[in-house]
Amino acid sequence: MSATAQSSLPASLYIVATPIGNLDDMTPRAINTLKAVDIIACEDTRTSGKLLNHFNIDSKTWAYHEHNSEIQTPKIIEMIQQGHPVALISDAGTPLISDPGFQLVQAAHNAGVKVVPIAGVSAVITALSVAGLPSDKFSFLGFLPAKTHGRQKQLQTYKERSETLIFYEAPHRILACLEDMAVVFGNERPITYCRELTKTFETVVKTTVGDLLAFVKNDNNQQKGEIVLVVGGDTHQEQSDDLTAHDDLLLRLLQDLSVKKAAALASDITGVKKNALYQRLLQLQQAD
């Protein structure tokens, strides 16, 4: 369909999610939308061309990426204002998630152009759903800095975060990234390694940072493909914040035991770290 043809879709900006690997994850709504729009803005027209050909989608494509977004954004907004529906897709997954598109969506809102989500796959949510780590609160942090110094510095800012943390990582940096996580987070921090999700060589491994580093180091195949790291939050801070919930138990144990023994027994009973309970016991003693 040419950009001058009249589409049956309202003239809006459609943010269309595409598969991250398995083409069966392409939704009927996404296919119908891409067939109906006048223009599909693609991160890479060659990459998207394979997907579009597979589903017999012949809508006109425009390249839209970080290097041409300043030029293309006003052109796309103008096309929509002239009555042409436009779709935005990335190479894979949901657009704007570590992919281009924010500038275009922001411009559409500023211009009063309707933005319509065509929901589908996102590697972030796909990884979280199988990670076996708390999902009630999480942060997606994208790609870490490429250099060790910058990566460790940024990881330090996340070290005491209590929510689950989700990162993307490039295959050629995965070993260095895990080494830095071991330094900053410690070898025992829980982590789930998600590689090539929905694809033939899909790998999901729930383990610890130290064991994952050894696993990836010993298997060159694990150093290839698309990688999502889901890292457990720092539970020590949560335990410290909630120590008052165990005050009745601690006070009772103090009647018969020393602070040290009371802390050890309370740790066995509650699962809270002994050192944290020891400090709380000292506070309770001082309060008396």
Side-chain angles (χ1 to χ4, degrees), residues 88-111:
L88 173 69
I89 62 175
S90 63
D91 286 348
T94 300
L96 278 76
I97 311 301
S98 284
D99 282 323
F102 164 70
Q103 187 175 349
L104 179 59
V105 172
Q106 184 182 51
H109 284 295
N110 291 341

Side-chain angles (χ1 to χ4, degrees), residues 107-263:
H109 284 295
N110 291 341
V113 168
K114 186 176 181 180
V115 183
V116 181
I118 309 298
V121 181
S122 168
V124 178
I125 303 304
T126 302
L128 181 64
S129 71
V130 296
L133 291 167
S135 57
D136 57 327
K137 185 171 65 170
F138 64 92
S139 292
F140 171 59
L141 301 166
F143 286 93
L144 288 161
K147 303 292 185 180
T148 296
H149 175 74
R151 188 164 49 236
Q152 288 194 8
K153 184 177 180 180
Q154 194 157 319
L155 286 171
Q156 284 288 349
T157 67
Y158 305 143
K159 182 178 180 179
E160 296 182 355
R161 298 270 286 269
S162 61
E163 76 272 27
T164 297
L165 309 175
I166 306 175
F167 302 91
Y168 285 165
E169 191 50 274
H172 64 280
R173 292 199 300 263
I174 184 60
L175 280 179
C177 175
L178 291 174
E179 288 170 353
D180 289 338
M181 284 187 173
V183 169
V184 178
F185 292 158
N187 285 323
E188 299 307 312
R189 181 72 71 95
I191 187 170
T192 302
Y193 180 71
C194 301
R195 185 182 72 91
E196 293 291 88
L197 288 169
T198 79
K199 301 174 187 175
T200 302
F201 298 104
E202 178 179 270
T203 305
V204 177
V205 178
K206 185 177 187 297
T207 181
T208 62
V209 169
D211 286 347
L212 180 59
L213 175 58
F215 171 71
V216 174
K217 187 177 291 186
N218 293 328
D219 185 350
N220 290 334
N221 289 323
Q222 301 305 323
Q223 301 168 38
K224 302 173 183 177
E226 304 291 331
I227 297 167
V228 185
L229 299 173
V230 187
V231 183
D234 178 22
T235 58
H236 177 264
Q237 188 64 38
E238 285 187 337
Q239 290 172 349
S240 297
D241 291 342
D242 195 35
L243 289 180
T244 57
H246 305 296
D247 281 358
D248 289 344
L249 171 65
L250 296 176
L251 288 169
R252 177 63 188 87
L253 293 175
L254 269 180
Q255 293 177 13
D256 301 310
L257 300 172
S258 67
V259 171
K260 184 176 181 181
K261 290 182 178 180

